[in-house]
Amino acid sequence: MNKITPSIEDAIAGITDGMTVMIGGFGGSGAPIELIDALVARYKATGSPGRLTVINNNAGNGAVGIAAMIYADMVAKMVCSFPRSTDSRAFTERYQAGEIELELVPQGTLAERIRAGGAGIPAFYTPTSFGTDIAKGKPVAEFDGRSYVQERWLKADVAIIKAELADRKGNLTYNKAARNFAPLMAMAAEKTIVQARQVVEPGAIDPEHVVTPGIFVDMVVEIADAKQEEALLREAALVKEGAGA
Amino acid sequence: MNKITPSIEDAIAGITDGMTVMIGGFGGSGAPIELIDALVARYKATGSPGRLTVINNNAGNGAVGIAAMIYADMVAKMVCSFPRSTDSRAFTERYQAGEIELELVPQGTLAERIRAGGAGIPAFYTPTSFGTDIAKGKPVAEFDGRSYVQERWLKADVAIIKAELADRKGNLTYNKAARNFAPLMAMAAEKTIVQARQVVEPGAIDPEHVVTPGIFVDMVVEIADAKQEEALLREAALVKEGAGA
Amino acid sequence: MTVKLTNAQIAWRAAQDIQDGAYVNLGIGFPEMVAKFKPKGREVIYHTENGVLDFGEAPPAGEEDWDLINAGKKAVTLNPGASFFNHADSFAMVRGGHLDVAILGAYEVAENGDLANWSTGPKSVPAVGGAMDLVHGAKRVCVITDHVTKDGKPKLVERCALPLTGVGCVTTVYTSLAVVEIIDKRFVLREKLPSISMEDLQAVTGAKLVVEGACKDLIVPEV
Amino acid sequence: MTVKLTNAQIAWRAAQDIQDGAYVNLGIGFPEMVAKFKPKGREVIYHTENGVLDFGEAPPAGEEDWDLINAGKKAVTLNPGASFFNHADSFAMVRGGHLDVAILGAYEVAENGDLANWSTGPKSVPAVGGAMDLVHGAKRVCVITDHVTKDGKPKLVERCALPLTGVGCVTTVYTSLAVVEIIDKRFVLREKLPSISMEDLQAVTGAKLVVEGACKDLIVPEV
């Protein structure tokens, strides 16, 4: 069993038109920039994979990561909780032009729906969004005198996530708050593709400290000096300021 | 904020008649023997806390732990997945005499119901037990052409669990497979009381390695040389063998 | 009615009601200011939706770790005893009722506890984030807000006109003029600025203010 | 009909169908024996309900760590790359369809895939454990069993008479006489002992055995 793939292109080769893709990260922390870049590069070179449904907390910022995917017109639909960011022009433009679909999901419901997808729970009830526009059309039920909304699981064809350490069996750790949605997405996707800062020998991660057990992981690419989305955005802003001055 | 309690008697003082008590452990691994012993001692001395509902995967083994509670007649009802063990006489006797109630829950459903209690999810659907006697009387629903059973959350007044390390803010780690239900029970109980092998300074547990964040924990007692239930049972069996020879 | 509390003063007032040992989630933006005014000697543990408990202040400029941020995407630091966890566990803390206090901003709060704070209507790109979860999780759901809109219209109303964030969820409102608790679907006035009369306060409030027992003076230092 | 496979031989046969890299849960008791017969060169990762992935063999007597056990409460060891997790995560692996194979024992298996393996009736103390979850999780749900009961009654039946563990969940049955797949609510015979005739095999089977394509000889070494 060896889930390590030397080539990032090989790792993403199975992602095809129309797929639902979960992408780890919250804002810039945990965004798998190199995997996204490789997807965008392939789309620009071959026209595929297009018409993607992307699941992420946000809808891209600046011109990197998911925003780059949107600018490249690869994304047909976003499922997210907060598509507004300091600089979410890419999504806003396409959305207001009616060129991209949006499914808005409260953040906790998004997390729980993804976990449910990974845990084989097709539906659950939550107090979140009861009585609001978000709940329109969803079944409601009362338990112990309180009202709840029924929400369905979320699954994906592929998850692409960023990890800290990985071994050939797919066990993962994360870096600080970059963990966020990644362990859930790894559970909920048919295939989980990981970019890890470092590949280590099995056993090098203490069994007590494994965050994502290898059963949820399919492929691992080592990207030692991965870009950090927020850092990229700040660099770009500085360049822009400089250019404007 | 200091959740450390020097006295085990103080730690369990809030447990009163008729309460629902979640008890960590799977078989002997993770059983909080000293907390249980203190509860039994208090019951024998004062007649309280009695008429308890106990939630645990099993229903006691030999004459220690939950079996000791049952022998002491403190337990009115067990909620568990596997009340039969190599030596589950205590429960079997009381159950066949009609003196103790049993709610039998499949193991994965038990875990998920407890997690749901901790996560504010009042009900969820699972494929588990559909079409079986366990599902009788429960709502069923079809999602994507497959049938599921609706299960409700499980909560408790108190959880008593065993941890490895703890700090004064209540952050916990566990020892190997002794983790099992404990992190879930800590979430689902109104009060969570922990016996930890060692109390350490806040920060001594790496933030990446905390398994149960302190928000789920109310009281911690340090028990450096805690008994291990399975070891106790094997010792008892050896003594018995010796006596019989 | 030129005298009113500044945002910092509203935040200060809300901070006084956060007890020692409380687990608190502060909404993005204005609510984050509450942390600045934590009374000395109290230990408060802050939760952020993106999976950190017990984070501390912002690091000095240039020392940010952008993998260590809060829900507002601002860099933070860690206190000893901090922990990381995934988003489902983070919202289990929220939805499961484990937070003591959540503090949010508002467009409107209704006397029945309804809150509108996420959408000003169909024109903008909708974005809800974690607010809809937070209002149904914490034991106390507090709103901090100016008492009226920029146009002088009441923000405390009989029924919200804007899209709701949550139904019957708000417990306390700290405004630039008053402290109001929501009890049995009524605004119960607990404190008001001494400089404003009951009549004037009622005039800028869109629903009836009920006084039960004493209405104290709302006294806040310059901050 | 004195010739039949031993339990060890049934376990051996089931083990041959576990692919390299498979994630496998072996039920308590007889199914645990399957691990002994893993073909050389294949890496199989074992899951146990109580929160361990990638555990290894039992430790030598006297070296047990009773906090490191499997679902059968037997002491185990760890392979490099093992991990611990809580019970909810453990059953997320099960229910979420992440296991490749689950192997269980049976009282009865019906041609529609129904399984009865947890209760022999209302007399005993009922105990279900993780079986009801396992039968709805793994991609392949395999039963290993003697072909008939101790009294010689068929265990492969048209409809289960005993309380069900799961509905329509079994994919493959490895018995002391045959290998049977369940396809479209029928028993499809894949292999049978060469020493038994189709007629004799059908006579000890409680539902129709269908042959589609070739029925191979079930050949198992002495183990």
mmCIF file of all heavy atoms in Angstrom, chain B residues 37-52:
data_model
loop_
_atom_site.group_PDB
_atom_site.id
_atom_site.type_symbol
_atom_site.label_atom_id
_atom_site.label_comp_id
_atom_site.label_asym_id
_atom_site.label_seq_id
_atom_site.Cartn_x
_atom_site.Cartn_y
_atom_site.Cartn_z
ATOM 1 N N ASP B 37 -16.016 3.423 41.903
ATOM 2 C CA ASP B 37 -15.868 2.942 43.295
ATOM 3 C C ASP B 37 -16.367 3.986 44.294
ATOM 4 O O ASP B 37 -17.033 3.650 45.275
ATOM 5 C CB ASP B 37 -14.396 2.609 43.590
ATOM 6 C CG ASP B 37 -13.972 1.270 42.993
ATOM 7 O OD1 ASP B 37 -14.846 0.553 42.460
ATOM 8 O OD2 ASP B 37 -12.773 0.947 43.051
ATOM 9 N N ALA B 38 -16.052 5.247 44.013
ATOM 10 C CA ALA B 38 -16.477 6.311 44.922
ATOM 11 C C ALA B 38 -18.000 6.442 44.939
ATOM 12 O O ALA B 38 -18.616 6.670 45.988
ATOM 13 C CB ALA B 38 -15.821 7.635 44.530
ATOM 14 N N LEU B 39 -18.605 6.274 43.766
ATOM 15 C CA LEU B 39 -20.075 6.324 43.679
ATOM 16 C C LEU B 39 -20.699 5.175 44.460
ATOM 17 O O LEU B 39 -21.675 5.368 45.198
ATOM 18 C CB LEU B 39 -20.523 6.217 42.219
ATOM 19 C CG LEU B 39 -20.697 7.477 41.399
ATOM 20 C CD1 LEU B 39 -21.207 7.111 40.009
ATOM 21 C CD2 LEU B 39 -21.681 8.440 42.077
ATOM 22 N N VAL B 40 -20.134 3.981 44.305
ATOM 23 C CA VAL B 40 -20.669 2.805 44.995
ATOM 24 C C VAL B 40 -20.501 2.980 46.506
ATOM 25 O O VAL B 40 -21.426 2.692 47.282
ATOM 26 C CB VAL B 40 -19.975 1.518 44.497
ATOM 27 C CG1 VAL B 40 -20.402 0.316 45.346
ATOM 28 C CG2 VAL B 40 -20.298 1.268 43.023
ATOM 29 N N ALA B 41 -19.339 3.471 46.905
ATOM 30 C CA ALA B 41 -19.086 3.677 48.339
ATOM 31 C C ALA B 41 -20.096 4.666 48.919
ATOM 32 O O ALA B 41 -20.645 4.457 50.015
ATOM 33 C CB ALA B 41 -17.660 4.167 48.557
ATOM 34 N N ARG B 42 -20.355 5.740 48.177
ATOM 35 C CA ARG B 42 -21.322 6.726 48.663
ATOM 36 C C ARG B 42 -22.713 6.123 48.752
ATOM 37 O O ARG B 42 -23.446 6.353 49.720
ATOM 38 C CB ARG B 42 -21.337 7.947 47.741
ATOM 39 C CG ARG B 42 -21.849 9.202 48.426
ATOM 40 C CD ARG B 42 -21.886 10.386 47.464
ATOM 41 N NE ARG B 42 -23.248 10.729 47.131
ATOM 42 C CZ ARG B 42 -23.631 11.268 45.979
ATOM 43 N NH1 ARG B 42 -22.751 11.495 45.019
ATOM 44 N NH2 ARG B 42 -24.888 11.576 45.785
ATOM 45 N N TYR B 43 -23.064 5.332 47.743
ATOM 46 C CA TYR B 43 -24.394 4.700 47.761
ATOM 47 C C TYR B 43 -24.525 3.766 48.961
ATOM 48 O O TYR B 43 -25.542 3.750 49.651
ATOM 49 C CB TYR B 43 -24.643 3.952 46.461
ATOM 50 C CG TYR B 43 -25.998 3.290 46.422
ATOM 51 C CD1 TYR B 43 -27.144 4.044 46.172
ATOM 52 C CD2 TYR B 43 -26.140 1.937 46.661
ATOM 53 C CE1 TYR B 43 -28.401 3.456 46.153
ATOM 54 C CE2 TYR B 43 -27.395 1.334 46.647
ATOM 55 C CZ TYR B 43 -28.519 2.099 46.394
ATOM 56 O OH TYR B 43 -29.753 1.512 46.383
ATOM 57 N N LYS B 44 -23.469 2.988 49.208
ATOM 58 C CA LYS B 44 -23.530 2.040 50.325
ATOM 59 C C LYS B 44 -23.605 2.766 51.666
ATOM 60 O O LYS B 44 -24.258 2.301 52.600
ATOM 61 C CB LYS B 44 -22.322 1.093 50.280
ATOM 62 C CG LYS B 44 -22.445 0.062 49.158
ATOM 63 C CD LYS B 44 -21.312 -0.955 49.149
ATOM 64 C CE LYS B 44 -21.583 -2.030 48.102
ATOM 65 N NZ LYS B 44 -20.411 -2.900 47.865
ATOM 66 N N ALA B 45 -22.960 3.919 51.746
ATOM 67 C CA ALA B 45 -22.936 4.680 53.007
ATOM 68 C C ALA B 45 -24.206 5.495 53.203
ATOM 69 O O ALA B 45 -24.671 5.672 54.332
ATOM 70 C CB ALA B 45 -21.722 5.598 53.039
ATOM 71 N N THR B 46 -24.794 6.003 52.098
ATOM 72 C CA THR B 46 -25.879 6.982 52.243
ATOM 73 C C THR B 46 -27.172 6.589 51.543
ATOM 74 O O THR B 46 -28.198 7.272 51.690
ATOM 75 C CB THR B 46 -25.448 8.346 51.651
ATOM 76 O OG1 THR B 46 -25.377 8.205 50.223
ATOM 77 C CG2 THR B 46 -24.096 8.792 52.183
ATOM 78 N N GLY B 47 -27.135 5.541 50.718
ATOM 79 C CA GLY B 47 -28.334 5.179 49.952
ATOM 80 C C GLY B 47 -28.546 6.031 48.719
ATOM 81 O O GLY B 47 -29.599 5.949 48.073
ATOM 82 N N SER B 48 -27.565 6.810 48.373
ATOM 83 C CA SER B 48 -27.676 7.699 47.206
ATOM 84 C C SER B 48 -26.308 7.803 46.543
ATOM 85 O O SER B 48 -25.295 7.757 47.236
ATOM 86 C CB SER B 48 -28.162 9.080 47.657
ATOM 87 O OG SER B 48 -28.218 9.956 46.565
ATOM 88 N N PRO B 49 -26.207 7.929 45.239
ATOM 89 C CA PRO B 49 -27.264 8.060 44.234
ATOM 90 C C PRO B 49 -27.783 6.709 43.757
ATOM 91 O O PRO B 49 -27.013 5.868 43.321
ATOM 92 C CB PRO B 49 -26.544 8.775 43.094
ATOM 93 C CG PRO B 49 -25.132 8.281 43.193
ATOM 94 C CD PRO B 49 -24.869 8.007 44.634
ATOM 95 N N GLY B 50 -29.100 6.533 43.799
ATOM 96 C CA GLY B 50 -29.725 5.313 43.322
ATOM 97 C C GLY B 50 -30.608 5.585 42.117
ATOM 98 O O GLY B 50 -30.678 6.703 41.621
ATOM 99 N N ARG B 51 -31.265 4.519 41.639
ATOM 100 C CA ARG B 51 -32.190 4.574 40.485
ATOM 101 C C ARG B 51 -31.551 5.243 39.264
ATOM 102 O O ARG B 51 -32.198 5.985 38.537
ATOM 103 C CB ARG B 51 -33.480 5.320 40.852
ATOM 104 C CG ARG B 51 -34.209 4.768 42.074
ATOM 105 C CD ARG B 51 -35.607 5.366 42.225
ATOM 106 N NE ARG B 51 -35.700 6.795 41.950
ATOM 107 C CZ ARG B 51 -35.463 7.754 42.847
ATOM 108 N NH1 ARG B 51 -35.119 7.430 44.091
ATOM 109 N NH2 ARG B 51 -35.568 9.009 42.516
ATOM 110 N N LEU B 52 -30.267 4.941 39.066
ATOM 111 C CA LEU B 52 -29.551 5.580 37.961
ATOM 112 C C LEU B 52 -29.861 4.910 36.619
ATOM 113 O O LEU B 52 -30.105 3.708 36.559
ATOM 114 C CB LEU B 52 -28.040 5.518 38.207
ATOM 115 C CG LEU B 52 -27.530 6.200 39.482
ATOM 116 C CD1 LEU B 52 -26.033 5.941 39.645
ATOM 117 C CD2 LEU B 52 -27.825 7.698 39.458
#
